[in-house]
Amino acid sequence: MSKQDLQKSAAALLALHVPGTPVVLPTVWDAWSAKLAVDAGFAALTVGSHPVAESVGKPDGEGMSFDELTARVAQITGAVDVPISVDIESGYGETPQRIIDGLLSVGAVGFNIEDTVHKEGKRIRTAEEHAALVGELRRAADAADVHVVINARTDLFLRQDGDEANRFERAVSRLKLCAEAGADSLYPVGRHDPDTLRRLTSELPLPVNAIALPDQDDPASFGPLGVGRISFGPFLQGALSARAGELLARWR
């Protein structure tokens, strides 16, 4: 993909992030699932680390290498012509330059970056450390002259980190630092009740990514809460797996 094509794709992905009118990025894991989503009419996709790992028999949590991930992303971008964002977990221990170069080389124009460092005992980066990494990734993307869409994620809710009494405030604070460092959207990953999600979207300065259960949640419920982006994490693959299990059980 040429630089001009990458620039156009990145701009198109960014423009889809509208609080109150959320873009739905179905979480895919291979060329088949990507084509399924595009044929259903979706304008952009995200590649999920968990479902990709499951699809190749590796554990989530950077059980794959960055090169293995980008090889799978290349298959997806070769099969569909829509903007692709990639869950790169905590960065696979790679430098920001190598991450940006690797993603652009396979036609991806966005990514999630989380604050759980899998290769270091799954510790959580400090707020300042995570924001600094986001800033380094933004500068690497700027040097490549492509506005790669950065979805900065925190795992504080998912991991129930620290004191629950101030967890919300700590999550908002660290995501605000990521916004200042150059993120484009913010991902307080976890299943939140409507009031919490509304508080998050009202207090955070960028579009907020919510995770949805594709077989259970009401698609119309997220917009009124101010959400700007919806993805499925491992839950689309899980729902399809459950249905496949039902079908196969008929033939045991």
Side-chain angles (χ1 to χ4, degrees):
M1 189 180 290
S2 70
K3 179 180 288 188
Q4 186 176 31
D5 288 338
L6 289 167
Q7 290 169 332
K8 289 181 178 178
S9 185
L13 178 60
L14 183 60
L16 292 170
H17 290 66
V18 180
T21 310
V23 58
V24 179
L25 302 179
T27 305
V28 302
W29 53 92
D30 61 6
W32 172 79
S33 57
K35 291 177 72 174
L36 198 69
V38 171
D39 288 349
F42 290 91
L45 308 173
T46 187
V47 178
S49 67
H50 189 157
V52 167
E54 286 281 350
S55 74
V56 296
K58 297 288 183 72
D60 191 29
E62 299 187 5
M64 298 177 70
S65 69
F66 183 63
D67 287 342
E68 288 173 322
L69 175 66
T70 55
R72 176 53 64 94
V73 174
Q75 295 170 353
I76 293 169
T77 57
V80 297
D81 186 22
V82 297
I84 301 291
S85 182
V86 181
D87 180 353
I88 62 167
E89 303 209 52
S90 58
Y92 294 86
E94 303 289 350
T95 66
Q97 187 67 58
R98 175 153 159 66
I99 288 170
I100 295 298
D101 289 346
L103 291 173
L104 292 177
S105 73
V106 294
V109 293
F111 61 87
N112 295 354
I113 183 72
E114 67 190 52
D115 51 7
T116 295
V117 189
H118 297 281
K119 294 186 180 301
E120 297 178 15
K122 297 189 180 297
R123 72 176 180 87
I124 293 185
R125 292 188 182 100
T126 67
E128 293 76 16
E129 184 185 9
H130 194 46
L133 176 58
V134 169
E136 291 172 7
L137 288 161
R138 171 56 65 210
R139 287 188 288 275
D142 288 346
D145 199 23
V146 178
H147 189 93
V148 179
V149 178
I150 300 178
N151 189 35
R153 166 176 150 170
T154 182
D155 290 351
L156 294 193
F157 293 108
L158 183 68
R159 295 181 55 175
Q160 298 186 349
D161 177 77
D163 189 348
E164 183 179 3
N166 66 358
R167 187 177 300 140
F168 181 93
E169 290 74 18
R170 286 185 288 115
V172 166
S173 176
R174 67 171 46 215
L175 289 175
K176 283 182 174 178
L177 288 178
C178 290
E180 293 169 6
D184 297 293
S185 59
L186 304 171
Y187 191 11
V189 67
R191 293 282 293 164
H192 303 296
D193 62 68
D195 287 343
T196 300
L197 201 48
R198 188 179 293 107
R199 283 183 67 199
L200 286 165
T201 61
S202 66
E203 295 192 27
L204 290 170
L206 293 173
V208 170
N209 190 149
I211 194 167
L213 303 180
D215 57 336
Q216 298 179 39
D217 286 332
D218 177 2
S221 67
F222 293 91
L225 300 177
V227 170
R229 168 173 169 154
I230 298 170
S231 55
F232 299 143
F235 298 120
L236 175 60
Q237 188 184 58
L240 293 178
S241 296
R243 180 56 178 149
E246 294 171 1
L247 295 173
L248 292 170
R250 298 181 63 241
W251 295 93
R252 276 205 303 267

